[in-house]
Amino acid sequence: MLTIHQPKIRHARNKSRLYSEIEIDDEQKILWFEVDSEYEKYLCSERSDAFLVSALPYAMRKGHDITCSAPITDELLYNISQHLIPALSKYGKKVYHTLIVGTPSAEPIENFGAVGTGMSGGVGSFHAVLNHWRPYGLMPKLTHLCINNTGSFNTDYAQHNIPKAREDAIALAQKVADSLKLPLIITDSNICEVFDFDDYSHVHTYNSAFAILALQKLWGTYFYSSASRDYAAFSLEEHEAKDCAFYDLLTLNCLSTRRLRLYSEGAVRDRVEKTAAIADFPIAQKYLHVCTDKGQNCGLCDQCRQTMITLDTLDRLDPFKTFPIDYYRAHTGEYLLWLAKKKLEKDPETQLLYTQVQKGKHAKDFKKALTRLDKNAQVPEVHAQCVCIMDAKTGQVLLEKNADVKEIPAGITKILTCMVALEKGLLTEVVTMPKVAPKGNSSGVKPGEQMLLKDMLYGMMLLKSSNDLAEAVALNISGSTTVFVNEMNALAQRIGMKSSHFSSPTGIMHVSHYASARDIALLVRYALGNSVFRQIFATPTYTCNSSTSGHTFESNNALIHQKKGYRNRKYESCLGGQAGSTSGRYSFASVARKQGQEHIVVQLAITDNYGTDEGLVYRFVDAVALHEWAFR
């Protein structure tokens, strides 16, 4: 059972907070929504409406019924109970038919009748503004803009500075609001902490509706800009695994009432058509921000590439000064090659863009890119069950095979161990080797030997037999492996590793120690931003002295170091790598650079025999084949 208690309002300084105690079985949490105090009179504490909607995705996925202490607007309760829940549970394989227990209320809640929309700075939000800032005929006219912190900052910018990303987004939204001479409402919430989802795309509509219903005394109409979906994309089939934008037309209709109407704004158009619609809108030209990677348009993420290609095909890119136009002009062929890859992958997000480009000024170059890719599209057969190839510069995934399956990372874990040590420790600190007895082989460094943390990290990363050094690093940094592992998981979460959890600094197999190939690729990409890590990663041999003896550490990466007894497997393009093995399952993460390209290749769950040159070679030969495929 999930219980929602009577919502209350608390005032502090210049902020007002609507909150409710949420009981999930025996666990108690506080869910809150905060806004500037001038809007306190519009917060709705009389009803459970907002909190009921916020809890729905969690309850239906976790098998909970919901009890509401405060009344529920009768029309909302009817829509959810008789239409939304039955439809979602019918067409969702793992969706529970949640029962809602609460008192319906037909007493009207007066509202100000305001007309609002969110201002993320993206294509959808400017499309909503263009349509409703100066509307035609009977269309409602915008009275307010909003920027709601209900989850996107914690997902889209998880690898970066989340507070800075939110600060930049608010600053941009305020500039747009000032240009339109409209008030901007800035809200905050802890909804993503209370109801934690691995993928924000499954809940963004519900989270936004929570913010809207929390202020339902203000809104009469709200335009919700939902990604790039149009009416033709509507689908409930396997909806629990898809972006909830696929069924916004159902959700928003069911969450509307007589006094508050929620619209899926622009649902008649896809993203390409919306981009074309705003191409001549001066305010969009000045402020459009589509990037999901940085506070400004990076020009390299998928959203930036798609938008720039669309505007270029329309001959309207030059007025949009928020994009790196000069870079795009110098690398247009690479952008078309990216689009050609998307087409070969049958990516639905860019389907209409292919059609537009094939009819436009870049048609011949696009056809050449497709032909070039067709010749090199054959993906090599490899022994790993899970593979992810990622562009180290842009984060674009070029190839994935079971990339989100949770597997045993083994010694690759030490990449994360190294990064925590680099961020928390001092390289010049002297570390005394403790008496540790970790599972697995040891480095040969004896208890009582003193050496620099820097030297210990080299030994930990280069040697196959270095579990004792990993334990020593953890104890030195945090005082205990338990505290250090918490630091590891905190860093993993911060950089967006959604399918991973770590229980040791060594990688020793444990039921709660796992990672996906995609997550390891994200980790390596993050680590490459540290110059010391890059240096360690690329080192074939390293010599140092402890307080009692000298040590030479040799890399277990055959692509950069030919070890005695192995045939030469050196790969000149390799910048570094980390291998792992445990209980018959082997792994390898490597980075290579050629002709200005830099790729990360992660292989997990390699199950062939290991121990001889012929067995060991699978990881390294397959890595080279995958890197060469990515370069082509």
Side-chain angles (χ1 to χ4, degrees), residues 30 119 123 127 130 136 152 172 189 224 236 267 287 321 341 386 399 410 437 440 506 555 573 580 590 599-600 618 627:
I30 300 294
M119 177 41 65
V123 170
H127 186 271
L130 181 64
Y136 302 98
S152 61
L172 184 147
S189 174
Y224 181 61
L236 286 179
Y287 296 114
K321 303 301 184 184
K341 289 178 182 177
C386 305
L399 174 70
T506 63
S555 174
S573 298
S590 55
H599 297 132
I600 300 161
Y618 288 130
H627 279 297

PDB file of all heavy atoms in Angstrom, residues 30 119 123 127 130 136 152 172 189 224 236 267 287 321 341 386 399 410 437 440 506 555 573 580 590 599-600 618 627:
ATOM      1  N   ILE A  30       8.797  12.412   2.551  1.00  0.00           N
ATOM      2  CA  ILE A  30       8.112  13.688   2.356  1.00  0.00           C
ATOM      3  C   ILE A  30       8.317  14.127   0.917  1.00  0.00           C
ATOM      4  O   ILE A  30       9.455  14.298   0.464  1.00  0.00           O
ATOM      5  CB  ILE A  30       8.637  14.781   3.313  1.00  0.00           C
ATOM      6  CG1 ILE A  30       8.439  14.367   4.774  1.00  0.00           C
ATOM      7  CG2 ILE A  30       7.937  16.108   3.025  1.00  0.00           C
ATOM      8  CD1 ILE A  30       6.994  14.265   5.204  1.00  0.00           C
ATOM      9  N   MET A 119       9.249  26.523 -20.307  1.00  0.00           N
ATOM     10  CA  MET A 119      10.258  27.151 -21.159  1.00  0.00           C
ATOM     11  C   MET A 119      11.611  26.516 -20.881  1.00  0.00           C
ATOM     12  O   MET A 119      12.403  26.989 -20.069  1.00  0.00           O
ATOM     13  CB  MET A 119      10.306  28.662 -20.919  1.00  0.00           C
ATOM     14  CG  MET A 119      11.388  29.414 -21.716  1.00  0.00           C
ATOM     15  SD  MET A 119      11.614  28.886 -23.442  1.00  0.00           S
ATOM     16  CE  MET A 119      10.080  29.328 -24.198  1.00  0.00           C
ATOM     17  N   VAL A 123      13.074  23.203 -28.834  1.00  0.00           N
ATOM     18  CA  VAL A 123      12.202  23.390 -29.995  1.00  0.00           C
ATOM     19  C   VAL A 123      10.742  23.373 -29.588  1.00  0.00           C
ATOM     20  O   VAL A 123       9.953  24.228 -30.001  1.00  0.00           O
ATOM     21  CB  VAL A 123      12.476  22.287 -31.052  1.00  0.00           C
ATOM     22  CG1 VAL A 123      11.426  22.323 -32.151  1.00  0.00           C
ATOM     23  CG2 VAL A 123      13.872  22.449 -31.655  1.00  0.00           C
ATOM     24  N   HIS A 127       7.937  26.366 -29.921  1.00  0.00           N
ATOM     25  CA  HIS A 127       6.772  26.110 -30.771  1.00  0.00           C
ATOM     26  C   HIS A 127       5.490  26.472 -30.017  1.00  0.00           C
ATOM     27  O   HIS A 127       4.570  27.079 -30.579  1.00  0.00           O
ATOM     28  CB  HIS A 127       6.748  24.642 -31.194  1.00  0.00           C
ATOM     29  CG  HIS A 127       5.685  24.305 -32.185  1.00  0.00           C
ATOM     30  ND1 HIS A 127       4.420  23.928 -31.812  1.00  0.00           N
ATOM     31  CD2 HIS A 127       5.692  24.314 -33.543  1.00  0.00           C
ATOM     32  CE1 HIS A 127       3.683  23.709 -32.891  1.00  0.00           C
ATOM     33  NE2 HIS A 127       4.433  23.928 -33.956  1.00  0.00           N
ATOM     34  N   LEU A 130       5.310  30.281 -29.862  1.00  0.00           N
ATOM     35  CA  LEU A 130       4.953  30.851 -31.157  1.00  0.00           C
ATOM     36  C   LEU A 130       3.451  30.732 -31.429  1.00  0.00           C
ATOM     37  O   LEU A 130       2.828  31.654 -31.953  1.00  0.00           O
ATOM     38  CB  LEU A 130       5.733  30.142 -32.268  1.00  0.00           C
ATOM     39  CG  LEU A 130       5.500  30.628 -33.701  1.00  0.00           C
ATOM     40  CD1 LEU A 130       5.966  32.072 -33.866  1.00  0.00           C
ATOM     41  CD2 LEU A 130       6.221  29.723 -34.685  1.00  0.00           C
ATOM     42  N   TYR A 136      -4.319  33.176 -32.613  1.00  0.00           N
ATOM     43  CA  TYR A 136      -5.320  33.562 -33.594  1.00  0.00           C
ATOM     44  C   TYR A 136      -6.702  33.103 -33.135  1.00  0.00           C
ATOM     45  O   TYR A 136      -6.843  32.049 -32.520  1.00  0.00           O
ATOM     46  CB  TYR A 136      -5.003  32.937 -34.958  1.00  0.00           C
ATOM     47  CG  TYR A 136      -3.653  33.322 -35.485  1.00  0.00           C
ATOM     48  CD1 TYR A 136      -2.568  32.466 -35.334  1.00  0.00           C
ATOM     49  CD2 TYR A 136      -3.454  34.544 -36.116  1.00  0.00           C
ATOM     50  CE1 TYR A 136      -1.314  32.819 -35.812  1.00  0.00           C
ATOM     51  CE2 TYR A 136      -2.206  34.906 -36.602  1.00  0.00           C
ATOM     52  CZ  TYR A 136      -1.141  34.037 -36.435  1.00  0.00           C
ATOM     53  OH  TYR A 136       0.095  34.394 -36.907  1.00  0.00           O
ATOM     54  N   SER A 152      14.348  16.565 -15.076  1.00  0.00           N
ATOM     55  CA  SER A 152      15.206  16.577 -16.265  1.00  0.00           C
ATOM     56  C   SER A 152      16.633  17.009 -15.950  1.00  0.00           C
ATOM     57  O   SER A 152      17.582  16.528 -16.566  1.00  0.00           O
ATOM     58  CB  SER A 152      14.616  17.490 -17.344  1.00  0.00           C
ATOM     59  OG  SER A 152      14.515  18.821 -16.880  1.00  0.00           O
ATOM     60  N   LEU A 172      18.299  31.481 -18.978  1.00  0.00           N
ATOM     61  CA  LEU A 172      17.804  31.525 -20.357  1.00  0.00           C
ATOM     62  C   LEU A 172      16.293  31.737 -20.371  1.00  0.00           C
ATOM     63  O   LEU A 172      15.772  32.567 -21.134  1.00  0.00           O
ATOM     64  CB  LEU A 172      18.162  30.232 -21.079  1.00  0.00           C
ATOM     65  CG  LEU A 172      17.796  30.145 -22.565  1.00  0.00           C
ATOM     66  CD1 LEU A 172      18.819  29.317 -23.332  1.00  0.00           C
ATOM     67  CD2 LEU A 172      16.404  29.545 -22.777  1.00  0.00           C
ATOM     68  N   SER A 189      11.307  20.735  -6.777  1.00  0.00           N
ATOM     69  CA  SER A 189      10.674  19.579  -6.161  1.00  0.00           C
ATOM     70  C   SER A 189      11.701  18.487  -5.914  1.00  0.00           C
ATOM     71  O   SER A 189      12.750  18.446  -6.558  1.00  0.00           O
ATOM     72  CB  SER A 189       9.552  19.043  -7.059  1.00  0.00           C
ATOM     73  OG  SER A 189       9.016  17.842  -6.541  1.00  0.00           O
ATOM     74  N   TYR A 224       1.598  21.402 -22.705  1.00  0.00           N
ATOM     75  CA  TYR A 224       2.766  20.579 -22.396  1.00  0.00           C
ATOM     76  C   TYR A 224       3.437  20.160 -23.697  1.00  0.00           C
ATOM     77  O   TYR A 224       2.840  19.480 -24.533  1.00  0.00           O
ATOM     78  CB  TYR A 224       2.348  19.339 -21.594  1.00  0.00           C
ATOM     79  CG  TYR A 224       3.511  18.449 -21.226  1.00  0.00           C
ATOM     80  CD1 TYR A 224       4.548  18.930 -20.432  1.00  0.00           C
ATOM     81  CD2 TYR A 224       3.583  17.139 -21.674  1.00  0.00           C
ATOM     82  CE1 TYR A 224       5.621  18.135 -20.093  1.00  0.00           C
ATOM     83  CE2 TYR A 224       4.654  16.320 -21.337  1.00  0.00           C
ATOM     84  CZ  TYR A 224       5.677  16.836 -20.550  1.00  0.00           C
ATOM     85  OH  TYR A 224       6.739  16.048 -20.220  1.00  0.00           O
ATOM     86  N   LEU A 236       0.297   2.327 -27.183  1.00  0.00           N
ATOM     87  CA  LEU A 236       0.302   1.769 -25.832  1.00  0.00           C
ATOM     88  C   LEU A 236       1.015   0.423 -25.794  1.00  0.00           C
ATOM     89  O   LEU A 236       1.182  -0.159 -24.728  1.00  0.00           O
ATOM     90  CB  LEU A 236      -1.129   1.597 -25.315  1.00  0.00           C
ATOM     91  CG  LEU A 236      -1.857   2.876 -24.907  1.00  0.00           C
ATOM     92  CD1 LEU A 236      -3.262   2.558 -24.437  1.00  0.00           C
ATOM     93  CD2 LEU A 236      -1.106   3.619 -23.809  1.00  0.00           C
ATOM     94  N   ALA A 267       1.243  18.388 -31.002  1.00  0.00           N
ATOM     95  CA  ALA A 267       1.217  16.957 -31.293  1.00  0.00           C
ATOM     96  C   ALA A 267       0.879  16.660 -32.749  1.00  0.00           C
ATOM     97  O   ALA A 267       1.050  15.530 -33.208  1.00  0.00           O
ATOM     98  CB  ALA A 267       0.216  16.245 -30.382  1.00  0.00           C
ATOM     99  N   TYR A 287      17.611  32.552 -28.731  1.00  0.00           N
ATOM    100  CA  TYR A 287      17.768  31.819 -27.476  1.00  0.00           C
ATOM    101  C   TYR A 287      17.632  30.295 -27.577  1.00  0.00           C
ATOM    102  O   TYR A 287      17.766  29.607 -26.558  1.00  0.00           O
ATOM    103  CB  TYR A 287      16.738  32.311 -26.455  1.00  0.00           C
ATOM    104  CG  TYR A 287      16.918  33.753 -26.050  1.00  0.00           C
ATOM    105  CD1 TYR A 287      15.956  34.708 -26.372  1.00  0.00           C
ATOM    106  CD2 TYR A 287      18.053  34.165 -25.352  1.00  0.00           C
ATOM    107  CE1 TYR A 287      16.105  36.039 -25.998  1.00  0.00           C
ATOM    108  CE2 TYR A 287      18.218  35.491 -24.976  1.00  0.00           C
ATOM    109  CZ  TYR A 287      17.238  36.424 -25.304  1.00  0.00           C
ATOM    110  OH  TYR A 287      17.399  37.734 -24.935  1.00  0.00           O
ATOM    111  N   LYS A 321      22.401  31.972 -33.779  1.00  0.00           N
ATOM    112  CA  LYS A 321      23.775  32.194 -33.315  1.00  0.00           C
ATOM    113  C   LYS A 321      24.119  31.395 -32.061  1.00  0.00           C
ATOM    114  O   LYS A 321      25.276  31.398 -31.626  1.00  0.00           O
ATOM    115  CB  LYS A 321      23.995  33.687 -33.047  1.00  0.00           C
ATOM    116  CG  LYS A 321      23.714  34.592 -34.242  1.00  0.00           C
ATOM    117  CD  LYS A 321      24.589  34.240 -35.444  1.00  0.00           C
ATOM    118  CE  LYS A 321      24.369  35.209 -36.594  1.00  0.00           C
ATOM    119  NZ  LYS A 321      25.137  34.824 -37.804  1.00  0.00           N
ATOM    120  N   LYS A 341      24.384   7.107 -40.441  1.00  0.00           N
ATOM    121  CA  LYS A 341      24.452   6.023 -39.448  1.00  0.00           C
ATOM    122  C   LYS A 341      23.094   5.820 -38.797  1.00  0.00           C
ATOM    123  O   LYS A 341      22.652   4.680 -38.576  1.00  0.00           O
ATOM    124  CB  LYS A 341      25.505   6.352 -38.390  1.00  0.00           C
ATOM    125  CG  LYS A 341      26.943   6.283 -38.880  1.00  0.00           C
ATOM    126  CD  LYS A 341      27.898   6.683 -37.763  1.00  0.00           C
ATOM    127  CE  LYS A 341      29.346   6.667 -38.245  1.00  0.00           C
ATOM    128  NZ  LYS A 341      30.289   7.112 -37.186  1.00  0.00           N
ATOM    129  N   CYS A 386      28.227  -8.848 -24.279  1.00  0.00           N
ATOM    130  CA  CYS A 386      27.771  -7.461 -24.107  1.00  0.00           C
ATOM    131  C   CYS A 386      28.843  -6.515 -24.648  1.00  0.00           C
ATOM    132  O   CYS A 386      30.005  -6.604 -24.239  1.00  0.00           O
ATOM    133  CB  CYS A 386      27.513  -7.148 -22.636  1.00  0.00           C
ATOM    134  SG  CYS A 386      26.358  -8.281 -21.839  1.00  0.00           S
ATOM    135  N   LEU A 399      27.677   1.501 -31.479  1.00  0.00           N
ATOM    136  CA  LEU A 399      27.270   0.104 -31.576  1.00  0.00           C
ATOM    137  C   LEU A 399      26.946  -0.400 -30.178  1.00  0.00           C
ATOM    138  O   LEU A 399      27.661  -0.102 -29.227  1.00  0.00           O
ATOM    139  CB  LEU A 399      28.408  -0.749 -32.167  1.00  0.00           C
ATOM    140  CG  LEU A 399      28.168  -2.270 -32.205  1.00  0.00           C
ATOM    141  CD1 LEU A 399      27.094  -2.612 -33.227  1.00  0.00           C
ATOM    142  CD2 LEU A 399      29.460  -3.016 -32.529  1.00  0.00           C
ATOM    143  N   ALA A 410      34.358  -7.263 -13.091  1.00  0.00           N
ATOM    144  CA  ALA A 410      35.650  -7.782 -12.639  1.00  0.00           C
ATOM    145  C   ALA A 410      36.660  -6.635 -12.481  1.00  0.00           C
ATOM    146  O   ALA A 410      36.347  -5.597 -11.922  1.00  0.00           O
ATOM    147  CB  ALA A 410      36.157  -8.860 -13.581  1.00  0.00           C
ATOM    148  N   ALA A 437      43.879  -9.088   3.197  1.00  0.00           N
ATOM    149  CA  ALA A 437      43.839 -10.433   2.610  1.00  0.00           C
ATOM    150  C   ALA A 437      42.658 -10.534   1.659  1.00  0.00           C
ATOM    151  O   ALA A 437      41.695 -11.245   1.901  1.00  0.00           O
ATOM    152  CB  ALA A 437      43.729 -11.479   3.717  1.00  0.00           C
ATOM    153  N   GLY A 440      41.615 -13.327  -4.457  1.00  0.00           N
ATOM    154  CA  GLY A 440      42.345 -13.116  -5.696  1.00  0.00           C
ATOM    155  C   GLY A 440      43.828 -12.956  -5.435  1.00  0.00           C
ATOM    156  O   GLY A 440      44.311 -13.005  -4.296  1.00  0.00           O
ATOM    157  N   THR A 506      37.715  -3.871  -5.713  1.00  0.00           N
ATOM    158  CA  THR A 506      38.548  -4.780  -6.499  1.00  0.00           C
ATOM    159  C   THR A 506      37.854  -5.351  -7.721  1.00  0.00           C
ATOM    160  O   THR A 506      38.483  -5.648  -8.728  1.00  0.00           O
ATOM    161  CB  THR A 506      39.010  -5.962  -5.620  1.00  0.00           C
ATOM    162  OG1 THR A 506      37.841  -6.697  -5.197  1.00  0.00           O
ATOM    163  CG2 THR A 506      39.756  -5.470  -4.395  1.00  0.00           C
ATOM    164  N   SER A 555      51.779  -3.547 -17.562  1.00  0.00           N
ATOM    165  CA  SER A 555      50.367  -3.514 -17.931  1.00  0.00           C
ATOM    166  C   SER A 555      49.887  -4.881 -18.401  1.00  0.00           C
ATOM    167  O   SER A 555      50.604  -5.610 -19.090  1.00  0.00           O
ATOM    168  CB  SER A 555      50.135  -2.483 -19.042  1.00  0.00           C
ATOM    169  OG  SER A 555      48.796  -2.536 -19.502  1.00  0.00           O
ATOM    170  N   SER A 573      47.074   2.363 -32.365  1.00  0.00           N
ATOM    171  CA  SER A 573      46.055   3.387 -32.096  1.00  0.00           C
ATOM    172  C   SER A 573      45.553   3.364 -30.661  1.00  0.00           C
ATOM    173  O   SER A 573      44.828   4.270 -30.246  1.00  0.00           O
ATOM    174  CB  SER A 573      44.864   3.204 -33.051  1.00  0.00           C
ATOM    175  OG  SER A 573      45.257   3.358 -34.392  1.00  0.00           O
ATOM    176  N   GLY A 580      39.717  -7.495 -17.133  1.00  0.00           N
ATOM    177  CA  GLY A 580      39.260  -8.122 -15.907  1.00  0.00           C
ATOM    178  C   GLY A 580      38.873  -9.567 -16.157  1.00  0.00           C
ATOM    179  O   GLY A 580      38.538  -9.939 -17.285  1.00  0.00           O
ATOM    180  N   SER A 590      38.693  -0.550 -23.581  1.00  0.00           N
ATOM    181  CA  SER A 590      39.859   0.041 -24.238  1.00  0.00           C
ATOM    182  C   SER A 590      39.474   1.327 -24.961  1.00  0.00           C
ATOM    183  O   SER A 590      38.314   1.555 -25.290  1.00  0.00           O
ATOM    184  CB  SER A 590      40.464  -0.948 -25.241  1.00  0.00           C
ATOM    185  OG  SER A 590      39.499  -1.386 -26.177  1.00  0.00           O
ATOM    186  N   HIS A 599      37.554   6.490 -29.766  1.00  0.00           N
ATOM    187  CA  HIS A 599      36.451   5.609 -29.411  1.00  0.00           C
ATOM    188  C   HIS A 599      36.751   4.784 -28.173  1.00  0.00           C
ATOM    189  O   HIS A 599      37.899   4.402 -27.921  1.00  0.00           O
ATOM    190  CB  HIS A 599      36.125   4.643 -30.567  1.00  0.00           C
ATOM    191  CG  HIS A 599      35.668   5.327 -31.812  1.00  0.00           C
ATOM    192  ND1 HIS A 599      36.171   5.039 -33.063  1.00  0.00           N
ATOM    193  CD2 HIS A 599      34.756   6.305 -31.996  1.00  0.00           C
ATOM    194  CE1 HIS A 599      35.582   5.811 -33.955  1.00  0.00           C
ATOM    195  NE2 HIS A 599      34.730   6.585 -33.337  1.00  0.00           N
ATOM    196  N   ILE A 600      35.696   4.497 -27.423  1.00  0.00           N
ATOM    197  CA  ILE A 600      35.756   3.604 -26.269  1.00  0.00           C
ATOM    198  C   ILE A 600      35.060   2.301 -26.663  1.00  0.00           C
ATOM    199  O   ILE A 600      33.938   2.326 -27.171  1.00  0.00           O
ATOM    200  CB  ILE A 600      35.027   4.222 -25.061  1.00  0.00           C
ATOM    201  CG1 ILE A 600      35.673   5.561 -24.665  1.00  0.00           C
ATOM    202  CG2 ILE A 600      35.005   3.255 -23.879  1.00  0.00           C
ATOM    203  CD1 ILE A 600      34.772   6.439 -23.817  1.00  0.00           C
ATOM    204  N   TYR A 618      41.318 -13.410 -27.478  1.00  0.00           N
ATOM    205  CA  TYR A 618      39.958 -13.041 -27.874  1.00  0.00           C
ATOM    206  C   TYR A 618      39.646 -11.591 -27.521  1.00  0.00           C
ATOM    207  O   TYR A 618      39.108 -10.834 -28.323  1.00  0.00           O
ATOM    208  CB  TYR A 618      38.930 -13.955 -27.195  1.00  0.00           C
ATOM    209  CG  TYR A 618      38.892 -15.356 -27.734  1.00  0.00           C
ATOM    210  CD1 TYR A 618      38.953 -16.448 -26.861  1.00  0.00           C
ATOM    211  CD2 TYR A 618      38.790 -15.609 -29.097  1.00  0.00           C
ATOM    212  CE1 TYR A 618      38.917 -17.741 -27.335  1.00  0.00           C
ATOM    213  CE2 TYR A 618      38.753 -16.905 -29.577  1.00  0.00           C
ATOM    214  CZ  TYR A 618      38.819 -17.971 -28.696  1.00  0.00           C
ATOM    215  OH  TYR A 618      38.781 -19.236 -29.171  1.00  0.00           O
ATOM    216  N   HIS A 627      37.317  -1.522 -32.793  1.00  0.00           N
ATOM    217  CA  HIS A 627      37.847  -0.168 -32.991  1.00  0.00           C
ATOM    218  C   HIS A 627      37.952   0.157 -34.481  1.00  0.00           C
ATOM    219  O   HIS A 627      37.552   1.252 -34.923  1.00  0.00           O
ATOM    220  CB  HIS A 627      39.220  -0.024 -32.328  1.00  0.00           C
ATOM    221  CG  HIS A 627      39.170   0.230 -30.861  1.00  0.00           C
ATOM    222  ND1 HIS A 627      38.591   1.365 -30.326  1.00  0.00           N
ATOM    223  CD2 HIS A 627      39.638  -0.490 -29.802  1.00  0.00           C
ATOM    224  CE1 HIS A 627      38.704   1.338 -29.012  1.00  0.00           C
ATOM    225  NE2 HIS A 627      39.331   0.216 -28.658  1.00  0.00           N
TER     226      HIS A 627
END
